[in-house]
Amino acid sequence: MPDTNQPRRATRAQVRKFLAAAGYEGTPPDDLVTEYVDLVGAAGRPGLPRHRLAVHLTAQSPGWAAPALAAFEAGWHEQQQARAQASSAARDAAARDADRAAAYVAGVWERTGTGPTWTELGDELGWPPALRARIVRLLAKEGVLTYGTAPRSLALAERSGES
């Protein structure tokens, strides 16, 4: 039975575009293109996180040696674990700090007539900078806060103000 986890084969044109995205200047030689076929196939479509990781690893590789598929997959696994941990930490912070966030936002509106910035809210509640946007979006999704495109538009959601 064939291994269904094998990456698709990339075309030579796809490999050339990939190498250009990684910073290779000029036309890559055929042996270099051949060396990258499997990695580019495993990386998937341009713009996706797996593809961006493969481009990054390639740009970091000495002498344009293709990173090993095992190293690429290990790097991808680490990124997925980091994303899952960040997501979990953000959910925990949103659940833990919803009332404090609402109180702080209400207090800033009362004192200044505008909402706090996301940075000010995050600083006040001790949220890691990398998680602040995710936490604010979760609080908005849960109906605690709202925000718009205007600066300092962070506010209590209607439901929160009625509690």
Side-chain angles (χ1 to χ4, degrees), residues 10 15 17 27 41 45 79 83 87 93 96-97 115 123 125 158:
V15 173
K17 286 181 184 176
T27 303
R45 291 192 322 258
Q79 278 192 0
R83 281 187 184 102
S87 183
R96 177 190 66 230
D97 295 336
D123 285 348
L125 298 180
E158 290 290 323

Side-chain angles (χ1 to χ4, degrees), residues 37-139:
V37 166
D38 289 339
L39 178 67
V40 174
R45 291 192 322 258
L48 294 178
R50 281 180 66 91
H51 191 272
R52 288 193 304 266
L53 173 63
V55 167
H56 173 75
L57 292 174
T58 296
Q60 301 298 316
S61 68
W64 292 100
L69 279 179
F72 168 68
E73 292 298 342
W76 177 247
H77 182 70
E78 287 173 19
Q79 278 192 0
Q80 292 301 97
Q81 284 183 319
R83 281 187 184 102
Q85 288 171 345
S87 183
S88 177
R91 282 192 308 272
D92 291 348
R96 177 190 66 230
D97 295 336
D99 291 339
R100 289 178 51 218
Y104 178 75
V105 169
V108 170
W109 270 99
E110 189 176 305
R111 287 189 311 279
T112 68
T114 63
T117 65
W118 294 18
T119 298
E120 291 167 346
L121 176 61
D123 285 348
E124 177 68 21
L125 298 180
W127 297 337
L131 296 181
R132 290 176 182 174
R134 187 177 290 200
I135 296 168
V136 170
R137 287 185 182 105
L138 282 169
L139 290 171

Side-chain angles (χ1 to χ4, degrees), residues 6-11 14 37-38 40-46:
Q6 289 285 56
R8 67 174 177 77
R9 297 278 298 178
T11 67
Q14 288 170 325
V37 166
D38 289 339
V40 174
R45 291 192 322 258

